[in-house]
Structure formats: C-alpha cells, structure tokens
Amino acid sequence: MSNPPLTDTSYAVLGLIERFGPATPYQLKQIAQVSIFHFWSIPHTQIYTECARLGELGLLHEQREPAGRRRRVYRLADTGTKALAQWREDPATDLYELRDPGLLKLFCGTEPAALAEGQLERHEQRLKLYTQLLEQGELPEGMRLALEAGIGHEREYVRFWSRLRD
C-alpha cells in the first residue's frame, strides 16, 4: 500500500505499540492514560477504531484470542514500522491546539480570582505529578524531553494563575 491516509492519532497508536509491544486496544488506552494523554488526548473509542483501521491498512498485525472474549491483540507490522520511521524523520509539525476550559471561562467573563484558585490547585497537582515522573528514573530521551516540556507548561500555568489569584 502506498501512502495510506494516516493522522496524528495513527502515529500515536503505532508509537505506543512500538514502545510497549503488542497490546489490545483496551491495554493501549490504559498505557495512553499514564503516558501520552498528559499531552495528547485521543477519545477512547478512537483507539479501538484506529487499531482496526491500521490493521486493515496492513500497518498492524491482528491476532484474535481463540477463546473467551476473543480480544484482538495488535502488533506492529514492518510497514507500520516504516511508516512510523518516515513520520519521525519529517521535521514539519503543526502548532498544537490549546483547548483549556479555564482559559475559555476566563475569556467568557468568569471572575479571574475566583477561577484562579481551582485552576492553580489543578496545575500545581499536575506539576507535582510530572516532576515525580521525571524523578522516578531513567526514561527514553523522547519521553524525558516531552515530560520536561510538560513541566515547563505547568510552571507557566502556576505562575499565571497565581498572579490572577493574588
């Protein structure tokens, strides 16, 4: 197949399977919740449909359990590995889309100091989590760098919401 239509979600699924090995869509959802969901959200149902789509495109191999729940386990096909490598080599990316409900409420007229208290607490909690994850030990370079970027964002949110609260 030449140049199948792949999305960022496609590459997220391929990357998770490459990093963590063969998995069911449910396992991928669990892995994503503690890894990429900190900076890249995917609706849970989309993980299931994307695995099936990538299987149909020949980028993932599907193996079905012979009995019981007959879950589908997906592993990376050679074509999936190649597609992921080509995507990684392309330096072009779009800017990220910021979807922050707190900023939307602020824009729509919520009283800043009242909103800031809850926002500050949430961002301080997330900053603490990210810092703990970074301190847990050796991480692959890409994961460590993504985590450092998240820490930088959370520090800025803490600074911003602290200023509005005070």
Side-chain angles (χ1 to χ4, degrees), residues 11-27:
Y11 294 114
V13 168
L14 293 172
L16 286 170
I17 291 175
E18 179 190 54
R19 174 73 60 196
F20 297 101
T24 66
Y26 179 77
Q27 290 168 325

Side-chain angles (χ1 to χ4, degrees), residues 41-98:
S41 64
I42 305 169
H44 297 154
T45 56
Q46 193 173 0
I47 292 174
Y48 288 83
T49 57
E50 192 62 22
C51 284
R53 188 175 87 85
L54 293 171
E56 290 171 7
L57 291 172
L59 300 171
L60 294 177
H61 292 298
E62 177 188 317
Q63 182 178 0
R64 197 140 203 188
E65 291 178 338
R69 295 175 61 194
R70 298 187 39 80
R71 290 179 290 210
R72 298 168 192 236
V73 178
Y74 292 94
R75 65 181 172 80
L76 209 51
D78 289 342
T79 53
T81 301
K82 288 176 187 170
L84 191 56
Q86 288 173 344
W87 175 74
R88 280 194 285 242
E89 290 171 7
D90 182 0
T93 63
D94 292 330
L95 287 176
Y96 70 94
E97 178 182 326
L98 179 60

